[in-house]
């Protein structure tokens, strides 16, 4: 990335116009990446302003190509495709290990792709939630994503404990939408040696707040708890360093910022200090046992000495292929560092454009400090004449793809892989028109 480009002050008034946005796009070294994606269109054929990559990322050409390649190989090879060729299906998931490790900052022996997010959280709680009468609590956030809440509650019940006493939550202070990181740390300390597990998001799905994962991990370990993260909104959005941060485990879906397609296969991380620990309980299946003897069909489980021992079934290769194509685009873009650098400029630009064009008619509840946010904005419409849900519907009618989150937030996320500064400017113009 050229320093010239880094030096452009995207907040300066000169860029707060359609021409200004076009100048920023012309100077953006990652701008060509957009051409790798299928951009959804309006009825008249024009591109939508797609700002909902936080919910479902767009399809890349490479994803289509990788999926088509495996469909073709299946058509031609049948069962021989399991063993033949560079992308033989039996070890296909191994092709994803390195590129996925780079996204989350894991070592290759710590990262595997399999299942879907909530399933992976369950499997990780089988290993890392081992309650005793003295230490049985799980700390989550108040108003966690419902699937996470359900998973945790059912795990507590499954082990014979009661969510009323074993599920503990940390909430924003009255009048605030955001968790105060100090409150999270003091809750961990307060539950102390009753705390078995801390399970929190890396990026909060509603507000877009980034939680201090390093501090939380340290605080959890200080009281003897395991610490896991749900990275649904973090993976592919912000740089992560799971290994160096000492996180015990993490899971993430790949259909949001990682563009693997609806229901795409999920990521799974276990820190390597636990990977070889055979005392950890696990649910087993044949994909976790020694690859060289797997097909001798013996019933003695011989765990693969990596996180792959958590695998259960042979994975869906078409879903793996879709993710493979997507991760190639991350590599082509220069990885998370380059993407985050553009993302920070886009976030700063949307901040300025909102302030300049919308003023106090729209309020972002997302943290303002760059270190506490990814690319998602959670916006509240401040005007009593314009209920937020109706505004979101009008945005959709006007060609802006964004989402509504109950009770009162419109989420928009400029994604550096395919969104332009022009998209951001157009969004503010369309929103201004709706609110006038
Ligand atoms: C998107 C999301 C999920 C979705 O779970 P699936 O198992 O992939 O259906 C779960 N938790 C959080 C925090 C999410 O953002």
């Amino acid at each position: 990335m050229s320093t010239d480009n880094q030096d452009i002050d995207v907040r300066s008034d000169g860029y707060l116009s359609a021409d200004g946005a076009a100048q920023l796009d012309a100077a953006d070294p990652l701008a060509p990446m957009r051409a790798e994606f299928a951009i959804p269109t309006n009825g008249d054929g024009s591109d939508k302003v797609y700002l909902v990559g936080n919910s479902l990322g767009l399809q890349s050409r490479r994803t289509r190509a990788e999926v088509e390649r495996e469909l073709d190989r299946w058509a031609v090879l049948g069962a021989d495709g399991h063993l033949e060729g560079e992308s033989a299906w039996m070890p296909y998931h191994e092709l994803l290990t390195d590129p996925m490790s780079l996204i989350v900052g894991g070592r290759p022996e710590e990262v595997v792709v399999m299942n879907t997010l909530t399933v992976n959280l369950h499997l990780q709680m089988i290993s890392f939630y081992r309650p005793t009468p003295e230490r049985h609590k799980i700390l989550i956030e108040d108003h966690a994503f419902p699937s996470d809440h359900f998973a945790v509650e059912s795990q507590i019940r499954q082990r014979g404990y009661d969510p009323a006493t074993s599920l503990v939550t940390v909430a924003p202070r009255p009048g605030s939408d955001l968790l105060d990181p100090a409150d999270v740390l003091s809750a961990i300390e307060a539950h102390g040696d009753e705390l078995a597990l801390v399970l929190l998001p890396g990026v909060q799905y509603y507000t877009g707040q980034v939680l201090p994962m390093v501090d939380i991990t340290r605080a959890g370990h200080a009281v003897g708890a395991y610490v896991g993260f749900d990275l649904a909104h973090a993976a592919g959005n912000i740089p992560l360093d799971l290994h160096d941060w000492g996180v015990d485990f993490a899971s993430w879906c790949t259909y949001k910022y990682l563009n693997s397609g609806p229901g795409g296969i999920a990521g799974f991380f276990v820190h390597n200090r636990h990977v070889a620990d055979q005392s950890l309980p696990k649910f087993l299946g044949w994909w976790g046992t020694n690859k060289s003897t797997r097909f001798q069909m013996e019933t003695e489980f011989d765990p693969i000495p990596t996180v792959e021992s958590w695998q259960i079934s042979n994975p869906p290769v078409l879903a793996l292929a879709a993710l493979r194509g997507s991760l190639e685009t991350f590599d082509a873009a220069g990885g998370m560092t380059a993407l985050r650098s553009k993302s920070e400029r886009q976030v700063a630009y949307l901040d300025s454009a909102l302030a300049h064009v919308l003023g106090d008619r729209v309020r972002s509840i997302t943290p303002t400090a760059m270190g506490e946010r990814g690319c998602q904005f959670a916006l509240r419409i401040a005007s009593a004449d314009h209920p937020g849900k109706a505004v979101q519907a009008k945005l959709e009618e006007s060609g802006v793809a964004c989402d509504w989150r109950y009770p009162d937030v419109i989420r928009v996320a400029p994604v550096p892989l395919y969104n332009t500064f022009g998209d951001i400017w157009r969004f503010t113009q369309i929103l201004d028109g709706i609110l006038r």
Side-chain angles (χ1 to χ4, degrees), residues 7-283:
D7 289 344
I8 293 178
D9 178 8
V10 298
R11 292 175 188 268
S12 99
D13 285 356
Y15 295 107
L16 295 172
S17 65
D19 282 351
Q23 282 177 47
L24 293 175
D25 285 322
D28 170 19
L30 292 184
M33 295 306 299
R34 178 177 170 90
E36 301 216 4
F37 289 85
I39 309 293
T41 50
N42 298 304
D44 65 0
S46 61
D47 286 350
K48 279 191 192 291
V49 176
Y50 194 84
L51 297 177
V52 73
N54 56 306
S55 180
L56 184 70
L58 290 181
Q59 183 188 116
S60 68
R61 312 255 181 261
R62 297 181 204 234
T63 281
R64 178 178 285 278
E66 294 294 354
V67 172
E68 282 181 355
R69 172 158 49 166
E70 298 317 314
L71 286 171
D72 290 345
R73 281 171 21 83
W74 174 28
V76 172
L77 296 171
D80 289 341
H82 280 302
L83 297 172
E84 276 183 22
E86 171 269 340
S87 62
W89 302 322
M90 207 151 54
Y92 194 100
H93 66 274
E94 296 171 18
L95 298 170
L96 283 291
T97 299
D98 284 345
M100 191 54 109
S101 303
L102 287 174
I103 302 277
V104 296
R107 302 272 164 84
E109 73 274 17
E110 297 172 324
V111 175
V112 65
V113 290
M114 60 184 190
N115 311 314
T116 42
L117 168 55
T118 311
V119 172
N120 284 345
L121 290 175
H122 274 296
L123 295 179
Q124 290 175 326
M125 282 189 275
I126 290 297
S127 297
F128 293 102
Y129 180 52
R130 289 176 289 157
T132 63
E134 294 74 38
R135 190 186 282 281
H136 56 93
K137 293 181 176 175
I138 305 184
L139 179 97
I140 64 172
E141 50 163 346
D142 192 43
H143 275 95
F145 194 92
S147 197
D148 301 50
H149 186 101
F150 300 148
V152 167
E153 230 181 46
S154 62
Q155 285 283 338
I156 289 172
R157 288 212 179 85
Q158 183 69 22
R159 309 308 168 80
Y161 289 81
D162 181 357
T165 44
S166 294
L167 179 60
V168 294
T169 60
V170 55
R173 294 187 187 180
S176 173
D177 295 295
L178 304 173
L179 284 166
D180 186 328
D183 291 349
V184 179
L185 303 181
S186 58
I188 292 171
E189 215 176 296
H191 292 289
D193 54 15
E194 293 179 344
L195 201 55
L197 175 63
V198 177
L199 184 59
L200 289 168
V203 175
Q204 215 281 344
Y205 77 95
Y206 188 79
T207 62
Q209 179 181 16
V210 174
L211 293 182
M213 288 174 264
V214 182
D215 297 345
I216 290 169
T217 302
R218 220 173 272 146
H221 290 170
V223 300
Y226 287 115
V227 179
F229 287 100
D230 180 328
L231 301 176
H233 287 269
N237 179 10
I238 58 169
L240 298 163
D241 243 323
L242 296 181
H243 176 84
D244 286 349
W245 295 347
V247 170
D248 294 299
F249 67 88
S251 289
W252 56 98
C253 50
T254 63
Y255 47 80
K256 292 170 180 166
Y257 295 105
L258 292 172
N259 309 326
S260 72
I265 196 162
F268 187 103
F269 166 93
V270 172
H271 199 279
N272 65 11
R273 69 175 168 273
H274 303 304
V275 157
D277 179 359
Q278 296 314 325
S279 72
L280 285 177
K282 275 179 211 168
F283 283 169

Side-chain angles (χ1 to χ4, degrees), residues 279-423:
S279 72
L280 285 177
K282 275 179 211 168
F283 283 169
L284 303 182
W286 72 324
W287 234 248
T289 200
N290 189 327
K291 297 172 194 179
S292 62
T293 55
R294 182 184 288 154
F295 284 90
Q296 292 164 15
M297 296 313 209
E298 296 300 335
T299 52
E300 181 124 0
F301 189 77
D302 176 12
I304 298 171
T306 73
V307 72
E308 289 186 0
S309 64
W310 269 267
Q311 292 178 116
I312 295 178
S313 294
N314 84 96
V317 168
L318 298 179
L320 290 171
L323 179 58
R324 185 186 187 195
S326 164
L327 295 182
E328 289 167 12
T329 66
F330 278 78
D331 184 44
M336 284 308 299
T337 308
L339 286 165
R340 174 63 175 176
S341 160
K342 172 171 174 184
S343 181
E344 288 183 354
R345 281 177 290 126
Q346 291 194 313
V347 165
Y349 186 64
L350 180 48
D351 268 344
S352 305
L354 282 172
H356 177 84
V357 178
L358 279 312
D360 52 15
R361 288 175 293 161
V362 171
R363 192 166 73 82
S364 168
I365 65 170
T366 304
T368 49
M370 208 55 89
E372 295 169 31
R373 65 200 301 194
C375 69
Q376 178 198 302
F377 286 64
L379 303 178
R380 261 189 200 136
I381 307 302
S383 155
D385 301 340
H386 299 281
K389 194 159 191 320
V391 173
Q392 190 265 342
K394 283 191 188 149
L395 283 166
E396 290 281 344
E397 281 166 27
S398 313
V400 177
C402 56
D403 72 9
W404 173 253
R405 274 290 167 272
Y406 185 83
D408 64 352
V409 153
I410 297 173
R411 296 189 306 180
V412 292
V415 169
L417 264 175
Y418 47 75
N419 282 123
T420 61
F421 289 89
D423 284 337

